[in-house]
Amino acid sequence: MSNFFNSLFLPWLDMLALALFATGWAGYVWFTDHRVTAQPTLRRQMDKYIREWIVQMVGRDNRMLDVNIMRNLTRASQFFASTTMLILGALVALMGYAEKAAGVIAELPFTQQVSERVWELKILLLVIIFVFAFFKLSWSIRQFGLASVLVGATRKTPADSEEYAPHIDRIAALTSFASGNFNNGLRAYYFGVAALSWFLHPVLMMIMTVSVVYVLYQREFRSKTLQILCGG
């Protein structure tokens, strides 16, 4: 039993890399989605356009355009959800060939030599990441489907649009939640790349974690796409 736990022992550098990875991911999600700030982000700007779109949808007699938009949004989540299942299948299969895979990686320069148990822990980390991604993406699909039902349940243009505001808010909120879950699932792919670099060396994992956070920050807070959405 003691030999088993010794085989799972992680050097301090690996522990530091894991701590930075978990802190970077959790901290970025809080910084982007949960902190109270007026700073514009891609999601906040898109939420405004989502509500404006739903308001315009209510006033249309022919809503095929809106149905197609919902369909396209759902397809993106479906694509990544199905891809995630393929990745999970490959990772589970890789667990049975951990020793051979570790031997191949060990021949690369600058790689860290670890036990087979630690190698399996690295694969397990990727499995956890993509299981998380699958749950987020599949829930996003479900929410987009519910929002589509509400679009179908929308009556023709009401006499007083203000009386229809609660229905507009419901559709906009569901679509926003679905978009948020899609974003979280997509972020898992980014951080999955950082976790993948752990197979080579924990220092590379730390560098990749910082790089992923930087890239995500630039895209969600400093990108030209955000400037255009803000009217810049």
Side-chain angles (χ1 to χ4, degrees):
M1 183 64 70
S2 61
N3 292 334
F4 174 77
F5 285 108
N6 288 335
S7 66
L8 292 179
F9 175 76
L10 291 176
W12 69 269
L13 197 58
D14 291 88
M15 295 295 292
L16 181 61
L18 274 177
L20 178 63
F21 177 81
T23 303
W25 191 347
Y28 182 78
V29 170
W30 173 84
F31 180 83
T32 306
D33 297 340
H34 302 298
R35 71 189 182 108
V36 180
T37 177
Q39 185 177 6
T41 65
L42 277 178
R43 183 180 175 186
R44 289 194 180 98
Q45 289 303 117
M46 284 309 303
D47 284 347
K48 295 178 182 178
Y49 284 106
I50 285 173
R51 196 180 192 287
E52 182 177 340
W53 159 41
I54 301 303
V55 170
Q56 296 297 323
M57 181 273 297
V58 171
R60 278 193 282 266
D61 290 329
N62 188 342
R63 293 173 181 148
M64 286 303 301
L65 170 64
D66 310 291
V67 171
N68 286 330
I69 292 174
M70 278 291 184
R71 184 179 299 151
N72 289 334
L73 292 173
T74 306
R75 280 176 180 170
S77 294
Q78 290 172 337
F79 170 79
F80 279 101
S82 59
T83 302
T84 302
M85 290 302 297
L86 294 176
I87 293 173
L88 285 172
L91 289 173
V92 171
L94 183 61
M95 292 286 282
Y97 299 92
E99 185 177 358
K100 293 182 179 179
V104 173
I105 297 297
E107 296 177 358
L108 298 176
F110 309 111
T111 56
Q112 184 189 40
Q113 303 297 321
V114 296
S115 67
E116 182 181 346
R117 296 296 183 185
V118 174
W119 180 268
E120 290 174 351
L121 282 178
K122 294 180 179 183
I123 299 176
L124 182 61
L125 175 62
L126 282 175
V127 170
I128 293 172
I129 290 171
F130 285 102
V131 165
F132 171 83
F134 175 76
F135 277 108
K136 287 294 182 180
L137 292 166
S138 59
W139 186 223
S140 172
I141 295 170
R142 180 61 172 160
Q143 288 174 318
F144 278 130
L146 295 173
S148 300
V149 172
L150 291 182
V151 168
T154 304
R155 301 192 305 270
K156 291 185 177 181
T157 309
D160 186 358
S161 59
E162 291 298 324
E163 295 180 1
Y164 223 52
H167 187 73
I168 293 173
D169 292 338
R170 279 192 292 270
I171 301 177
L174 265 179
T175 308
S176 175
F177 290 154
S179 177
N181 282 308
F182 176 77
N183 285 341
N184 284 322
L186 198 57
R187 284 175 191 158
Y189 272 76
Y190 282 87
F191 283 99
V193 173
L196 186 63
S197 64
W198 190 24
F199 287 92
L200 299 178
H201 202 280
V203 173
L204 181 59
M205 181 184 184
M206 289 188 280
I207 294 173
M208 288 300 298
T209 298
V210 174
S211 299
V212 165
V213 171
Y214 175 77
V215 169
L216 289 175
Y217 176 80
Q218 288 295 318
R219 291 184 177 182
E220 296 196 46
F221 290 89
R222 303 293 182 188
S223 64
K224 291 183 179 181
T225 300
L226 178 59
Q227 294 177 9
I228 293 172
L229 291 175
C230 292

